[in-house]
Amino acid sequence: MENTAIVDGKKFKEIFELANSTKNGVCPVRDIIARISDKWTLLSIYALGGYGTLRFNELKNKIGDVSQRMLTVTLRNLEADGIVKRTIYPEVPPRVEYELTDLGRSLAFQLTLLTDWVTVNGEVIIKHRTLSLNKN
Amino acid sequence: MENTAIVDGKKFKEIFELANSTKNGVCPVRDIIARISDKWTLLSIYALGGYGTLRFNELKNKIGDVSQRMLTVTLRNLEADGIVKRTIYPEVPPRVEYELTDLGRSLAFQLTLLTDWVTVNGEVIIKHRTLSLNKN
DNA sequence: CGGGATCCCAGATGATACTG
DNA sequence: CAGTATCATCTGGGATCCCG
């Protein structure tokens, strides 16, 4: 049944048109997918999905090799999109906690589906890629 | 049940660890997601999913504003990953046709799920983003 | 027709230093 | 602690020209 939906191609044409058009200069589909599939964005969402609530440096230490600047930028974007909630506690030293919103959790769930696909098919792809390289 | 899988966070921790680690210098999860969520890759997959088989310039014209170079690069990558099949007909002038492989169709289906999510939640995100901008 | 090769720029990203 | 600001760098991607 999975293939049925694909073979007829109707849905794909609709999606293609949707992804290939812009409203007010932006294409929601492309724009949003591009943003969420960013390296640090993906890791941030997964980390917050797995650990619930994290402080800035906790998140930074978990991801490991992200620069402070990029984590800040990433989290600001996610906050602006309503995917992450940022809570500032007026203490000294300051404490800032991040967590996924309901929208964020919903997105996170969708991303697990994609990740599952990659888990199943990733090795085949990497292998294919490697073989392809050796031909040249 | 969707939330159950997320609230406990177990699966997310696993996925996070998976996406945050590398084997032989590459992380399949991040690497593959980054590649497929590229603007032109996404549009190419959708177009081939919807129209089946397309010649180079047919595909180029459908997408519209893609440069020749980028479409070539995109298709070469997809071919190397085993997602797109490239067939050259030894004619003059040359004819080259592109189509999704079984792996490609499987991936395309997964991407429709993500696109569906964006279709449902995209406007909310864009609106949230716009409101967020106006605060500054 | 379907590319390959080259040049080049804007924007993304990292490193570093400073601060409320 | 959790950033901001600035500078340096590096890369994606477009423009252009050429070719089998």
Side-chain angles (χ1 to χ4, degrees):
Chain A
M1 54 214 83
E2 181 174 316
N3 279 335
T4 310
I6 294 169
V7 169
D8 80 22
K10 186 162 179 295
K11 181 168 183 178
F12 273 106
K13 291 185 186 173
E14 295 170 5
I15 291 182
F16 172 71
E17 296 304 333
L18 199 62
N20 199 26
S21 63
T22 57
K23 287 178 182 176
N24 324 355
V26 297
C27 169
V29 173
R30 268 195 280 152
D31 184 281
I32 293 173
I33 290 184
R35 172 161 297 185
I36 65 185
S37 58
D38 166 78
K39 178 181 178 182
W40 305 127
T41 301
L42 211 54
L43 288 175
S44 297
I45 291 176
Y46 287 150
L48 291 174
Y51 296 92
T53 300
L54 290 173
R55 300 180 61 165
F56 184 85
N57 276 335
E58 285 175 340
L59 187 52
K60 185 171 184 305
N61 290 333
K62 287 209 178 298
I63 297 182
D65 60 340
V66 63
S67 70
Q68 191 176 44
R69 182 180 126 81
M70 286 317 296
L71 185 57
T72 300
V73 170
T74 300
L75 290 170
R76 287 291 183 282
N77 284 335
L78 288 174
E79 189 192 4
D81 285 358
I83 291 166
V84 158
K85 181 182 159 198
R86 177 169 174 258
T87 309
I88 308 173
Y89 296 89
E91 309 172 352
V92 178
R95 178 162 59 100
V96 180
E97 290 186 347
Y98 294 89
E99 60 184 320
L100 294 177
T101 61
D102 287 343
L103 182 65
R105 275 187 287 274
S106 165
L107 170 60
F109 176 73
Q110 287 300 316
L111 291 179
T112 64
L113 300 182
L114 189 57
T115 312
D116 286 344
W117 186 90
V118 173
T119 305
V120 173
N121 298 283
E123 288 199 28
V124 175
I125 293 180
I126 298 290
K127 184 176 297 180
H128 200 286
R129 190 183 300 177
T130 308
L131 290 177
S132 174
L133 279 178
N134 292 342
K135 288 181 183 173
N136 308 341
Chain B
M1 57 208 79
E2 180 175 318
N3 278 335
T4 310
I6 294 168
V7 169
D8 81 21
K10 185 162 181 298
K11 182 170 184 180
F12 273 107
K13 290 184 187 174
E14 295 170 5
I15 292 183
F16 172 71
E17 295 304 333
L18 199 63
N20 200 25
S21 63
T22 58
K23 289 179 182 176
N24 324 355
V26 297
C27 169
V29 173
R30 269 195 278 152
D31 184 280
I32 293 174
I33 290 185
R35 172 163 297 185
I36 64 186
S37 59
D38 166 78
K39 177 181 177 182
W40 305 127
T41 302
L42 212 53
L43 287 174
S44 298
I45 291 176
Y46 287 150
L48 291 175
Y51 296 93
T53 300
L54 291 172
R55 299 180 61 168
F56 184 84
N57 276 335
E58 286 174 340
L59 187 52
K60 185 172 186 301
N61 291 333
K62 287 208 179 300
I63 296 181
D65 59 340
V66 65
S67 70
Q68 191 178 45
R69 179 180 129 82
M70 284 319 295
L71 185 56
T72 301
V73 170
T74 299
L75 290 171
R76 288 291 182 282
N77 284 335
L78 288 174
E79 190 193 2
D81 285 359
I83 292 166
V84 158
K85 182 183 159 197
R86 177 168 174 258
T87 309
I88 308 174
Y89 295 90
E91 308 172 354
V92 178
R95 180 162 59 101
V96 182
E97 290 186 347
Y98 293 90
E99 61 184 318
L100 293 178
T101 61
D102 286 342
L103 181 66
R105 275 187 287 275
S106 164
L107 170 61
F109 177 73
Q110 287 300 317
L111 291 179
T112 65
L113 300 182
L114 189 57
T115 313
D116 286 344
W117 186 89
V118 174
T119 305
V120 173
N121 298 282
E123 289 199 28
V124 175
I125 292 179
I126 299 291
K127 183 177 298 182
H128 200 286
R129 190 184 298 176
T130 308
L131 290 178
S132 174
L133 279 177
N134 292 342
K135 288 181 184 173
N136 309 342

